[in-house]
Amino acid sequence: MTPVLSIRGLQVRFRTGDGILHAVRGVDIDVAKGETVAVVGESGSGKSQTMMAAMGLLAANGTVEGSVRYRGEELIGLQPRALNRYRGSKLTMIFQEPMTSLDPLYRIGDQLSLPLVAHGGLSKRQALARAVELLELVRVPDPARRVNAYPHELSGGQRQRVMIAMALANDPDVLIADEPTTALDVTVQARILDLLRDLQGRLGMSIVFITHDLGVVRRFADRTYVMRHGEVVEQGATAALFAAPAHPYTRMLIDAEPRGRKAPVAPSAPVVLDARDVRVTFHTGSGLFGRTRHEIRAVDGVDLRVRAGETVGVVGESGSGKSTLGRAVLRLQEASGLVRFEDRNLMPLERGELRPLRRRMQMVFQDPFGSLSPRMTAGEIVTEGLLVHEPALSRRERDRRAAQAFEEVRLDPSGRNRYPHEFSGGQRQRIAIARAMILAPKLVVLDEPTSALDRSVQKEIVELLRDLQTRHGLAYVFISHDLAVVRALADEIVVMKSGRVVERGDVERIFEAPREAYTRELIAAAFLAAPVET
C-alpha cells in the first residue's frame, strides 16, 4: 500500500552562534492511511523537528534536505503558497501547549473559523456555524456558548479539544499531534486519547503521535519509531517492539518508569507538619457597593500530617486544590485553620515572625525554567536564600556552598556560572532542588516537579529526591497528577477533588484496593491499571 505520508533521508540543520547543529540525520518514516504512528524519544532526539520540517514549519535558521511526499507529491522545496494547499487542510498539526498556540485576543469561534475560510472557502457565517459543529464533535460542553469564549476562559482539556477541532476543520488526511497530552491531568489525557481514537475511526485519518510517554504509545499506536540524536534507532509494530526491544536505547526508555518503593518511616519519627481543617476561599467578581458575587472554596477543611523522613503524595486533577493546599501550609497563601510546623503554630505569625522559619520550609515548583531568573547565574540562584538567611557570609563562602549544593544534586559545580537557558530541563530542576536544599530545610513541598520531564529524567529526579530524603530526614509533600511517580516516592496518598479529601491511605492500599470511584478513575487513566467501571 502506498503511504499517505512518506519521509525519506530527511536532514535538518540549524545555524547557531556555536556553529551548525545537525538535528535530524537521514530519517525515514512511512504513514499508511488510517494508521497511528508514534515517534518517540527523549527531548532533543529530533522527533518534533522531523515533523516540523515535514510541515514546512522550521525556524528561520533551519534548513532541510531529503524528501517528504504526501500521496506521492513532493513537499520539500515548495513555495509557501503552494505548500498551503496541503498544510492546514490535508496535513494538520496540534501542539503541546494550546495556550501558546491560541491567540488570547480572539474568541474561540473566530480562531476556528480562520482555516475554514482560508482552506474551505466558507463565508464567515458558514464558518462560525461549522465551528459550533466542530466543538460538538470534540465534545466541548455547551459549544454554542463556547465559540464566544476566549482561550483563558477554558480549562486545559477544553483548550486542547479546541486545538483538535481546529486541526480537524478541513477533514485532514494526516493529523500530527506533538505531545498533545503531556501537560494534562491523567483523566483528561485519557479522554483526549479516546476522543482521537474515536475521531480517527469515524474520519479515517492517519495520526502521527509525537511523545515521550510510552504508556500512551503502548495503548494508542499501531507502529512506533524510536529516535535518538536525530536518528531512528528502531522501528516496528508497537506490540512487538515493547515485547522484544532490539536496541539498548529502546530498552532504556521502556525501563525508565520510576520503580521501587520507599522504605517505611519509623513510628518514632517526629511530626514536622501537622495541618488541621485548612481552608482557602477565593472571591471572584463584585457587584454594587463591593458585594461579593461568587465564592470558590479551593481548599475545604483538609488535614495533612507529615513526619520526618515521610512523603505524603497529594493527587487529583487540575482545580482539585492540591497546589493551593501546598502553598497554604507554607503560609504562601492566605488560609484559615491550624498549621503547626515543628513546635510552632504558623497561622497567627506575622510576616516578620515567619521569616526565620522560611529556611526550614521550602518549595520546588513544576516549571524550573519559569521559577529561575534568566538574568542570574545558576550559582547566584542557588545561593539567593543565603543572602536573606545568612547575610554575613562572604561571596567566597557563598560560592563554596553553591559548589557543595551542586555536588549534592549531582551537577558539575563548574556549571554554576552558566545561565538557566544553558541547562537541560532535568538540570534546571536539579538547580531548583539545590536552591531549596542549600538552606537545610526540614519540610519541602514539591509541586509537580517532574511532570514536564522525560521519563528517564524523571527516574533520575525520583532517585535524587529519595537519596536527599534519606540523608537529611526530610519531610516531603509531593503534589502531582503522575501516579507512577507518586507510587515510587510516597508513604501515604491523599486524593483531592473540588477542594476536599475524598480518600487517603498508604500507597499499597490506595493502588491495590481504592475505595472511591474517583480514585479508581485516576489510577485507570494513568495506565497503571485496566479501565474500571465507575
Side-chain angles (χ1 to χ4, degrees), residues 448-485:
E448 301 276 14
T450 63
S451 64
L453 305 177
D454 293 328
R455 270 300 188 197
S456 58
V457 181
Q458 282 185 354
K459 185 177 181 180
E460 293 171 1
I461 296 296
V462 166
E463 291 171 353
L464 171 64
L465 290 172
R466 280 176 178 162
D467 178 56
L468 291 172
Q469 184 174 50
T470 300
R471 279 193 280 151
H472 301 292
L474 297 170
Y476 286 155
V477 177
F478 192 88
I479 299 165
S480 183
H481 66 254
D482 191 329
L483 299 192
V485 175

mmCIF file of all heavy atoms in Angstrom, residues 448-485:
data_model
loop_
_atom_site.group_PDB
_atom_site.id
_atom_site.type_symbol
_atom_site.label_atom_id
_atom_site.label_comp_id
_atom_site.label_asym_id
_atom_site.label_seq_id
_atom_site.Cartn_x
_atom_site.Cartn_y
_atom_site.Cartn_z
ATOM 1 N N GLU A 448 4.446 19.306 41.469
ATOM 2 C CA GLU A 448 4.605 18.759 40.110
ATOM 3 C C GLU A 448 6.055 18.899 39.617
ATOM 4 O O GLU A 448 6.301 19.411 38.525
ATOM 5 C CB GLU A 448 3.660 19.481 39.132
ATOM 6 C CG GLU A 448 2.187 19.382 39.474
ATOM 7 C CD GLU A 448 1.545 18.108 38.965
ATOM 8 O OE1 GLU A 448 2.281 17.190 38.578
ATOM 9 O OE2 GLU A 448 0.305 18.044 38.981
ATOM 10 N N PRO A 449 7.049 18.459 40.370
ATOM 11 C CA PRO A 449 8.432 18.741 39.986
ATOM 12 C C PRO A 449 8.951 17.901 38.825
ATOM 13 O O PRO A 449 10.038 18.154 38.330
ATOM 14 C CB PRO A 449 9.212 18.421 41.270
ATOM 15 C CG PRO A 449 8.423 17.338 41.912
ATOM 16 C CD PRO A 449 6.983 17.681 41.621
ATOM 17 N N THR A 450 8.192 16.883 38.399
ATOM 18 C CA THR A 450 8.688 16.004 37.327
ATOM 19 C C THR A 450 7.779 15.954 36.115
ATOM 20 O O THR A 450 8.092 15.278 35.146
ATOM 21 C CB THR A 450 8.865 14.564 37.849
ATOM 22 O OG1 THR A 450 7.582 14.038 38.242
ATOM 23 C CG2 THR A 450 9.814 14.507 39.028
ATOM 24 N N SER A 451 6.653 16.670 36.126
ATOM 25 C CA SER A 451 5.644 16.472 35.077
ATOM 26 C C SER A 451 6.118 16.917 33.700
ATOM 27 O O SER A 451 5.650 16.398 32.685
ATOM 28 C CB SER A 451 4.352 17.211 35.445
ATOM 29 O OG SER A 451 4.578 18.600 35.488
ATOM 30 N N ALA A 452 7.043 17.876 33.631
ATOM 31 C CA ALA A 452 7.484 18.380 32.329
ATOM 32 C C ALA A 452 8.744 17.671 31.825
ATOM 33 O O ALA A 452 9.320 18.083 30.812
ATOM 34 C CB ALA A 452 7.735 19.886 32.419
ATOM 35 N N LEU A 453 9.167 16.592 32.503
ATOM 36 C CA LEU A 453 10.448 15.961 32.188
ATOM 37 C C LEU A 453 10.246 14.624 31.472
ATOM 38 O O LEU A 453 9.233 13.950 31.645
ATOM 39 C CB LEU A 453 11.241 15.729 33.478
ATOM 40 C CG LEU A 453 11.488 16.957 34.359
ATOM 41 C CD1 LEU A 453 12.208 16.543 35.632
ATOM 42 C CD2 LEU A 453 12.283 18.015 33.609
ATOM 43 N N ASP A 454 11.251 14.234 30.679
ATOM 44 C CA ASP A 454 11.258 12.911 30.081
ATOM 45 C C ASP A 454 11.250 11.849 31.171
ATOM 46 O O ASP A 454 11.732 12.068 32.287
ATOM 47 C CB ASP A 454 12.525 12.703 29.232
ATOM 48 C CG ASP A 454 12.553 13.587 28.006
ATOM 49 O OD1 ASP A 454 11.475 13.882 27.475
ATOM 50 O OD2 ASP A 454 13.656 13.988 27.593
ATOM 51 N N ARG A 455 10.747 10.635 30.827
ATOM 52 C CA ARG A 455 10.659 9.567 31.807
ATOM 53 C C ARG A 455 12.026 9.205 32.388
ATOM 54 O O ARG A 455 12.161 8.968 33.594
ATOM 55 C CB ARG A 455 10.028 8.331 31.168
ATOM 56 C CG ARG A 455 8.519 8.251 31.269
ATOM 57 C CD ARG A 455 8.055 8.242 32.707
ATOM 58 N NE ARG A 455 6.623 7.978 32.803
ATOM 59 C CZ ARG A 455 5.891 8.216 33.864
ATOM 60 N NH1 ARG A 455 6.447 8.751 34.929
ATOM 61 N NH2 ARG A 455 4.615 7.931 33.881
ATOM 62 N N SER A 456 13.038 9.140 31.532
ATOM 63 C CA SER A 456 14.365 8.779 32.038
ATOM 64 C C SER A 456 14.884 9.836 33.008
ATOM 65 O O SER A 456 15.532 9.519 34.017
ATOM 66 C CB SER A 456 15.349 8.587 30.885
ATOM 67 O OG SER A 456 15.439 9.760 30.103
ATOM 68 N N VAL A 457 14.581 11.116 32.730
ATOM 69 C CA VAL A 457 14.996 12.199 33.633
ATOM 70 C C VAL A 457 14.160 12.155 34.910
ATOM 71 O O VAL A 457 14.674 12.381 36.015
ATOM 72 C CB VAL A 457 14.866 13.565 32.935
ATOM 73 C CG1 VAL A 457 15.318 14.691 33.859
ATOM 74 C CG2 VAL A 457 15.685 13.588 31.647
ATOM 75 N N GLN A 458 12.855 11.848 34.763
ATOM 76 C CA GLN A 458 12.008 11.698 35.948
ATOM 77 C C GLN A 458 12.585 10.654 36.899
ATOM 78 O O GLN A 458 12.627 10.858 38.112
ATOM 79 C CB GLN A 458 10.603 11.261 35.529
ATOM 80 C CG GLN A 458 9.729 12.346 34.970
ATOM 81 C CD GLN A 458 8.322 11.845 34.702
ATOM 82 O OE1 GLN A 458 8.043 10.655 34.830
ATOM 83 N NE2 GLN A 458 7.439 12.739 34.313
ATOM 84 N N LYS A 459 13.013 9.540 36.333
ATOM 85 C CA LYS A 459 13.571 8.463 37.160
ATOM 86 C C LYS A 459 14.781 8.955 37.937
ATOM 87 O O LYS A 459 14.940 8.647 39.131
ATOM 88 C CB LYS A 459 13.942 7.278 36.264
ATOM 89 C CG LYS A 459 14.413 6.052 37.013
ATOM 90 C CD LYS A 459 14.685 4.909 36.055
ATOM 91 C CE LYS A 459 15.134 3.660 36.792
ATOM 92 N NZ LYS A 459 15.415 2.537 35.860
ATOM 93 N N GLU A 460 15.646 9.741 37.277
ATOM 94 C CA GLU A 460 16.829 10.279 37.954
ATOM 95 C C GLU A 460 16.436 11.239 39.084
ATOM 96 O O GLU A 460 17.036 11.209 40.164
ATOM 97 C CB GLU A 460 17.704 11.006 36.939
ATOM 98 C CG GLU A 460 18.331 10.096 35.888
ATOM 99 C CD GLU A 460 19.015 10.882 34.775
ATOM 100 O OE1 GLU A 460 18.996 12.131 34.860
ATOM 101 O OE2 GLU A 460 19.538 10.265 33.847
ATOM 102 N N ILE A 461 15.436 12.094 38.840
ATOM 103 C CA ILE A 461 14.998 13.051 39.852
ATOM 104 C C ILE A 461 14.373 12.319 41.037
ATOM 105 O O ILE A 461 14.602 12.678 42.206
ATOM 106 C CB ILE A 461 14.008 14.081 39.255
ATOM 107 C CG1 ILE A 461 14.701 14.943 38.187
ATOM 108 C CG2 ILE A 461 13.411 14.960 40.346
ATOM 109 C CD1 ILE A 461 15.828 15.805 38.710
ATOM 110 N N VAL A 462 13.590 11.275 40.761
ATOM 111 C CA VAL A 462 12.999 10.481 41.846
ATOM 112 C C VAL A 462 14.093 9.862 42.702
ATOM 113 O O VAL A 462 14.036 9.899 43.944
ATOM 114 C CB VAL A 462 12.065 9.400 41.270
ATOM 115 C CG1 VAL A 462 11.714 8.364 42.340
ATOM 116 C CG2 VAL A 462 10.782 10.032 40.727
ATOM 117 N N GLU A 463 15.103 9.296 42.070
ATOM 118 C CA GLU A 463 16.205 8.698 42.820
ATOM 119 C C GLU A 463 16.946 9.748 43.636
ATOM 120 O O GLU A 463 17.354 9.502 44.782
ATOM 121 C CB GLU A 463 17.158 7.982 41.860
ATOM 122 C CG GLU A 463 16.554 6.723 41.239
ATOM 123 C CD GLU A 463 17.418 6.135 40.140
ATOM 124 O OE1 GLU A 463 18.430 6.791 39.763
ATOM 125 O OE2 GLU A 463 17.085 5.048 39.641
ATOM 126 N N LEU A 464 17.134 10.938 43.061
ATOM 127 C CA LEU A 464 17.791 12.027 43.787
ATOM 128 C C LEU A 464 16.973 12.434 45.009
ATOM 129 O O LEU A 464 17.524 12.605 46.114
ATOM 130 C CB LEU A 464 17.989 13.227 42.853
ATOM 131 C CG LEU A 464 18.476 14.525 43.511
ATOM 132 C CD1 LEU A 464 19.873 14.329 44.091
ATOM 133 C CD2 LEU A 464 18.467 15.669 42.503
ATOM 134 N N LEU A 465 15.662 12.599 44.839
ATOM 135 C CA LEU A 465 14.816 13.005 45.959
ATOM 136 C C LEU A 465 14.814 11.953 47.066
ATOM 137 O O LEU A 465 14.840 12.289 48.257
ATOM 138 C CB LEU A 465 13.385 13.260 45.458
ATOM 139 C CG LEU A 465 13.199 14.504 44.576
ATOM 140 C CD1 LEU A 465 11.796 14.543 43.988
ATOM 141 C CD2 LEU A 465 13.471 15.778 45.367
ATOM 142 N N ARG A 466 14.785 10.680 46.678
ATOM 143 C CA ARG A 466 14.870 9.613 47.681
ATOM 144 C C ARG A 466 16.175 9.710 48.468
ATOM 145 O O ARG A 466 16.198 9.595 49.705
ATOM 146 C CB ARG A 466 14.818 8.255 46.991
ATOM 147 C CG ARG A 466 13.443 7.763 46.576
ATOM 148 C CD ARG A 466 13.646 6.452 45.840
ATOM 149 N NE ARG A 466 12.415 5.837 45.419
ATOM 150 C CZ ARG A 466 12.342 4.896 44.486
ATOM 151 N NH1 ARG A 466 13.451 4.489 43.883
ATOM 152 N NH2 ARG A 466 11.197 4.357 44.154
ATOM 153 N N ASP A 467 17.279 9.914 47.757
ATOM 154 C CA ASP A 467 18.597 9.977 48.400
ATOM 155 C C ASP A 467 18.680 11.164 49.355
ATOM 156 O O ASP A 467 19.161 11.030 50.494
ATOM 157 C CB ASP A 467 19.675 10.073 47.320
ATOM 158 C CG ASP A 467 21.076 10.189 47.902
ATOM 159 O OD1 ASP A 467 21.456 9.316 48.693
ATOM 160 O OD2 ASP A 467 21.792 11.158 47.566
ATOM 161 N N LEU A 468 18.222 12.328 48.923
ATOM 162 C CA LEU A 468 18.260 13.519 49.779
ATOM 163 C C LEU A 468 17.404 13.322 51.023
ATOM 164 O O LEU A 468 17.781 13.731 52.133
ATOM 165 C CB LEU A 468 17.783 14.737 48.988
ATOM 166 C CG LEU A 468 18.705 15.218 47.858
ATOM 167 C CD1 LEU A 468 18.016 16.296 47.037
ATOM 168 C CD2 LEU A 468 20.026 15.738 48.412
ATOM 169 N N GLN A 469 16.240 12.687 50.837
ATOM 170 C CA GLN A 469 15.355 12.464 51.981
ATOM 171 C C GLN A 469 15.999 11.541 53.004
ATOM 172 O O GLN A 469 15.938 11.789 54.220
ATOM 173 C CB GLN A 469 14.039 11.870 51.498
ATOM 174 C CG GLN A 469 13.001 11.695 52.608
ATOM 175 C CD GLN A 469 11.667 11.252 52.066
ATOM 176 O OE1 GLN A 469 11.587 10.305 51.292
ATOM 177 N NE2 GLN A 469 10.603 11.936 52.461
ATOM 178 N N THR A 470 16.648 10.482 52.519
ATOM 179 C CA THR A 470 17.299 9.524 53.420
ATOM 180 C C THR A 470 18.439 10.176 54.188
ATOM 181 O O THR A 470 18.598 9.981 55.405
ATOM 182 C CB THR A 470 17.822 8.321 52.615
ATOM 183 O OG1 THR A 470 16.731 7.687 51.955
ATOM 184 C CG2 THR A 470 18.511 7.319 53.525
ATOM 185 N N ARG A 471 19.242 10.988 53.484
ATOM 186 C CA ARG A 471 20.419 11.598 54.114
ATOM 187 C C ARG A 471 20.054 12.669 55.129
ATOM 188 O O ARG A 471 20.750 12.858 56.125
ATOM 189 C CB ARG A 471 21.340 12.174 53.042
ATOM 190 C CG ARG A 471 22.241 11.125 52.391
ATOM 191 C CD ARG A 471 23.325 11.775 51.575
ATOM 192 N NE ARG A 471 22.840 12.199 50.270
ATOM 193 C CZ ARG A 471 23.319 13.220 49.587
ATOM 194 N NH1 ARG A 471 24.272 13.981 50.104
ATOM 195 N NH2 ARG A 471 22.856 13.517 48.389
ATOM 196 N N HIS A 472 18.971 13.406 54.859
ATOM 197 C CA HIS A 472 18.662 14.574 55.689
ATOM 198 C C HIS A 472 17.375 14.422 56.496
ATOM 199 O O HIS A 472 16.996 15.362 57.205
ATOM 200 C CB HIS A 472 18.564 15.819 54.814
ATOM 201 C CG HIS A 472 19.816 16.125 54.049
ATOM 202 N ND1 HIS A 472 20.976 16.533 54.671
ATOM 203 C CD2 HIS A 472 20.094 16.048 52.720
ATOM 204 C CE1 HIS A 472 21.918 16.728 53.748
ATOM 205 N NE2 HIS A 472 21.418 16.424 52.563
ATOM 206 N N GLY A 473 16.697 13.281 56.382
ATOM 207 C CA GLY A 473 15.464 13.090 57.138
ATOM 208 C C GLY A 473 14.371 14.060 56.762
ATOM 209 O O GLY A 473 13.588 14.507 57.612
ATOM 210 N N LEU A 474 14.280 14.397 55.473
ATOM 211 C CA LEU A 474 13.344 15.415 55.025
ATOM 212 C C LEU A 474 11.899 14.916 55.041
ATOM 213 O O LEU A 474 11.623 13.746 54.770
ATOM 214 C CB LEU A 474 13.682 15.846 53.593
ATOM 215 C CG LEU A 474 15.046 16.499 53.385
ATOM 216 C CD1 LEU A 474 15.340 16.644 51.904
ATOM 217 C CD2 LEU A 474 15.071 17.862 54.065
ATOM 218 N N ALA A 475 10.993 15.834 55.335
ATOM 219 C CA ALA A 475 9.564 15.581 55.174
ATOM 220 C C ALA A 475 9.141 16.181 53.836
ATOM 221 O O ALA A 475 9.415 17.351 53.565
ATOM 222 C CB ALA A 475 8.777 16.216 56.311
ATOM 223 N N TYR A 476 8.493 15.368 52.984
ATOM 224 C CA TYR A 476 8.054 15.828 51.665
ATOM 225 C C TYR A 476 6.529 15.855 51.588
ATOM 226 O O TYR A 476 5.860 14.900 52.006
ATOM 227 C CB TYR A 476 8.529 14.877 50.560
ATOM 228 C CG TYR A 476 9.989 14.918 50.194
ATOM 229 C CD1 TYR A 476 10.586 13.796 49.617
ATOM 230 C CD2 TYR A 476 10.772 16.049 50.389
ATOM 231 C CE1 TYR A 476 11.919 13.794 49.241
ATOM 232 C CE2 TYR A 476 12.111 16.057 50.026
ATOM 233 C CZ TYR A 476 12.684 14.927 49.458
ATOM 234 O OH TYR A 476 14.012 14.933 49.099
ATOM 235 N N VAL A 477 5.999 16.933 51.021
ATOM 236 C CA VAL A 477 4.636 16.943 50.492
ATOM 237 C C VAL A 477 4.795 16.955 48.980
ATOM 238 O O VAL A 477 5.290 17.937 48.416
ATOM 239 C CB VAL A 477 3.836 18.167 50.973
ATOM 240 C CG1 VAL A 477 2.444 18.177 50.327
ATOM 241 C CG2 VAL A 477 3.714 18.159 52.489
ATOM 242 N N PHE A 478 4.410 15.855 48.334
ATOM 243 C CA PHE A 478 4.666 15.675 46.905
ATOM 244 C C PHE A 478 3.346 15.793 46.145
ATOM 245 O O PHE A 478 2.494 14.910 46.214
ATOM 246 C CB PHE A 478 5.322 14.323 46.640
ATOM 247 C CG PHE A 478 5.879 14.176 45.252
ATOM 248 C CD1 PHE A 478 7.174 14.573 44.972
ATOM 249 C CD2 PHE A 478 5.108 13.658 44.233
ATOM 250 C CE1 PHE A 478 7.694 14.453 43.695
ATOM 251 C CE2 PHE A 478 5.607 13.534 42.949
ATOM 252 C CZ PHE A 478 6.904 13.929 42.673
ATOM 253 N N ILE A 479 3.188 16.905 45.417
ATOM 254 C CA ILE A 479 1.946 17.208 44.707
ATOM 255 C C ILE A 479 2.119 16.808 43.246
ATOM 256 O O ILE A 479 3.064 17.240 42.584
ATOM 257 C CB ILE A 479 1.628 18.713 44.805
ATOM 258 C CG1 ILE A 479 1.441 19.117 46.265
ATOM 259 C CG2 ILE A 479 0.398 19.073 43.976
ATOM 260 C CD1 ILE A 479 1.493 20.615 46.502
ATOM 261 N N SER A 480 1.220 15.978 42.744
ATOM 262 C CA SER A 480 1.406 15.505 41.372
ATOM 263 C C SER A 480 0.122 14.893 40.839
ATOM 264 O O SER A 480 -0.751 14.459 41.600
ATOM 265 C CB SER A 480 2.523 14.468 41.317
ATOM 266 O OG SER A 480 2.756 14.043 39.990
ATOM 267 N N HIS A 481 0.017 14.864 39.480
ATOM 268 C CA HIS A 481 -1.029 14.040 38.861
ATOM 269 C C HIS A 481 -0.417 12.802 38.218
ATOM 270 O O HIS A 481 -1.123 11.993 37.620
ATOM 271 C CB HIS A 481 -1.824 14.845 37.826
ATOM 272 C CG HIS A 481 -1.031 15.280 36.625
ATOM 273 N ND1 HIS A 481 -0.616 16.584 36.430
ATOM 274 C CD2 HIS A 481 -0.580 14.595 35.564
ATOM 275 C CE1 HIS A 481 0.058 16.662 35.295
ATOM 276 N NE2 HIS A 481 0.094 15.472 34.753
ATOM 277 N N ASP A 482 0.908 12.637 38.348
ATOM 278 C CA ASP A 482 1.599 11.478 37.788
ATOM 279 C C ASP A 482 1.675 10.389 38.854
ATOM 280 O O ASP A 482 2.535 10.393 39.727
ATOM 281 C CB ASP A 482 3.005 11.877 37.324
ATOM 282 C CG ASP A 482 3.676 10.789 36.505
ATOM 283 O OD1 ASP A 482 3.389 9.604 36.762
ATOM 284 O OD2 ASP A 482 4.486 11.122 35.617
ATOM 285 N N LEU A 483 0.751 9.435 38.757
ATOM 286 C CA LEU A 483 0.645 8.447 39.819
ATOM 287 C C LEU A 483 1.796 7.455 39.834
ATOM 288 O O LEU A 483 2.084 6.852 40.870
ATOM 289 C CB LEU A 483 -0.692 7.712 39.707
ATOM 290 C CG LEU A 483 -1.944 8.596 39.835
ATOM 291 C CD1 LEU A 483 -3.178 7.736 40.002
ATOM 292 C CD2 LEU A 483 -1.832 9.562 41.000
ATOM 293 N N ALA A 484 2.472 7.260 38.691
ATOM 294 C CA ALA A 484 3.632 6.364 38.675
ATOM 295 C C ALA A 484 4.748 6.932 39.550
ATOM 296 O O ALA A 484 5.402 6.199 40.299
ATOM 297 C CB ALA A 484 4.132 6.161 37.246
ATOM 298 N N VAL A 485 4.962 8.244 39.461
ATOM 299 C CA VAL A 485 5.986 8.892 40.279
ATOM 300 C C VAL A 485 5.570 8.899 41.750
ATOM 301 O O VAL A 485 6.381 8.624 42.644
ATOM 302 C CB VAL A 485 6.254 10.324 39.773
ATOM 303 C CG1 VAL A 485 7.214 11.052 40.693
ATOM 304 C CG2 VAL A 485 6.811 10.294 38.354
#
